[in-house]
Amino acid sequence: SGEPAFDLRARLDLAAAALLFSTGGAAIKLADANGWQVAGLRSLIAATLLWLTLPRARGPWNARILAVATSYAGTLTAFVLSTKATTAANAIFLQSTAPLYVLALSPLLLRERIRAADGWIAALFGLGLIAIMWGQYQPQASAPNPTLGNGLGALSGLLWGITLMGLRWLTRNPSESGGDATRAVIAGSVITFAICAPMMASGVADMSFRDLMIIAGLGVFQVALPYAFLTRGIARVPAFSASLIILIEPALNPIWSWLVHKETVDIAAIVGGIIILTASLAKSANERRRSKDARNNE
C-alpha cells in the first residue's frame, strides 16, 4: 500500500516531549540569570545527562551529526533569548512556524510525500498563527523588548524546522548517518554552551542557588528528558507529522506562563493556540485512519 503504519507509541513519545518542552517559557522567565547564562548552562547540563544515561549517545560525531547539531544549537540559543525579551506565548508561537518550513522542504530534502490533506492542515495551522499575531502585545515586566524577541523567535522557527528534518534524517537512515539523533542533540548542546560561554562567563559566579536549581531543572526536564522522547519517537513518524504533534507545546506554553507569571495573553493568542492544537490532532487522526484503511485493503 505504501502507507506507513500508524505508531501510537511513537506519537505518545512526541506528545510527552511536547508537554515537557511547554514548561520552558515559564521556567526560563523564573530565573534572574540572563538569556546567555540560561541557554549555555541548561545545555551543558542536558548534554552531560544524556551522555551519562544513554549509551547510544556516546558514539563519534561526524559531519552529518554536526550539521544537524549546528542548527539545533541556533534553535536553543535563539529561543531562550527570545523568551527573555518577549512574551513566552510570542516566543513559542513564532518558533512554531517550523512545520511550514518542514512542509516546504521535506519533499526536497527527505523525499517524504506531502498529500493534499497536509496542505489543508498547514492552512489551518497558518490560520492559528495569524490569529496569534493579530493580537496586541505591549512591553511588560517579563517581556521588555518584544520587537527583538519576536525577531529571534522567528529565527528559532526556521532553525527548528531544519532541526526536525535533520533529526528525522539521522534516525531514518542510521547506517548512512553514522549515528543516531541523540548524538546530534548532545553535540548541539555542547555547541550552544560554546556559543554562550563568552557572554555568560563574567556573571556565573554571582548567580544565586535558586537560579542554578532552575537552570538545572531546565537542563533535565526541558531539554534532556524530552529529547530522549523526541529522538525515539521521530524515528517512526514522518517529519511533517512529528512537527505538528509537537505543536502541543505552543498550545500549553502560554498557560504555564500565565499561571506562574500572570503574563498577559491576548484572546487572539488563545484562539490561535486552540486552532493549532486542533490541526495537530486532526493530522494524527487522519494518518491513523489512512493506516487502518490501508491494512484493511491488504
Side-chain angles (χ1 to χ4, degrees):
S1 67
E3 249 342 301
F6 182 88
D7 192 324
L8 178 60
R9 179 176 175 180
R11 283 162 173 77
L12 290 176
D13 282 339
L14 294 172
L19 177 62
L20 290 167
F21 283 146
S22 73
T23 63
I28 287 168
K29 288 179 180 293
L30 270 179
D32 294 325
N34 65 45
W36 298 105
Q37 292 167 338
V38 173
L41 289 178
R42 78 164 185 167
S43 295
L44 179 63
I45 291 167
T48 302
L49 181 62
L50 287 170
W51 191 87
L52 290 174
T53 58
L54 298 178
R56 69 176 184 272
R58 299 172 194 164
W61 300 347
N62 58 30
R64 293 186 179 189
I65 287 173
L66 289 173
V68 178
T70 300
S71 176
Y72 174 57
T75 303
L76 289 177
T77 305
F79 176 71
V80 172
L81 295 177
S82 174
T83 301
K84 281 289 189 179
T86 190
T87 63
N90 271 25
I92 190 59
F93 286 132
L94 286 166
Q95 181 175 280
S96 297
T97 55
L100 298 181
Y101 300 109
V102 176
L103 179 66
L105 296 175
S106 61
L108 176 65
L109 299 179
L110 297 176
R111 302 290 190 268
E112 291 187 346
R113 180 184 173 191
I114 299 297
R115 298 170 175 83
D118 292 333
W120 287 106
I121 294 294
L124 187 60
F125 164 75
L127 180 63
L129 281 180
I130 290 171
I132 292 158
M133 299 310 295
W134 193 268
Q136 300 298 314
Y137 301 100
Q138 301 297 325
Q140 49 189 296
S142 61
N145 194 340
T147 301
L148 174 62
N150 290 345
L152 290 168
L155 175 62
S156 73
L158 170 61
L159 294 172
W160 182 225
I162 294 171
T163 299
L164 284 173
M165 287 184 285
L167 292 174
R168 171 68 174 161
W169 175 47
L170 292 176
T171 56
R172 190 179 61 177
N173 298 303
S175 62
E176 295 181 12
S177 69
D180 66 22
T182 309
R183 299 180 201 172
V185 170
I186 291 177
S189 297
V190 172
I191 293 171
T192 302
F193 177 74
I195 291 171
C196 297
M199 277 69 74
M200 60 180 272
S202 61
V204 170
D206 298 325
M207 289 176 60
S208 67
F209 178 77
R210 173 179 174 274
D211 275 2
L212 289 172
M213 291 299 98
I214 290 172
I215 293 171
L218 282 166
V220 174
F221 298 107
Q222 208 264 324
V223 180
L225 185 57
Y227 273 100
F229 284 120
L230 176 65
T231 55
R232 186 172 68 180
I234 204 169
R236 306 187 301 280
V237 179
F240 182 61
S241 302
S243 68
L244 285 172
I245 293 170
I246 294 168
L247 291 178
I248 292 170
E249 175 187 5
L252 295 178
N253 184 295
I255 296 174
W256 308 138
S257 292
W258 177 79
L259 289 172
V260 175
H261 303 287
K262 302 303 178 187
E263 191 169 80
T264 302
V265 181
D266 193 272
I267 185 63
I270 296 173
V271 171
I274 292 172
I275 293 173
I276 285 172
L277 182 57
T278 300
S280 176
L281 294 174
K283 172 65 176 176
S284 290
N286 187 46
E287 285 190 338
R288 187 170 190 176
R289 178 188 57 77
R290 282 205 311 257
S291 178
K292 182 178 180 180
D293 289 345
R295 288 196 303 271
N296 290 338
N297 292 332
E298 288 178 350

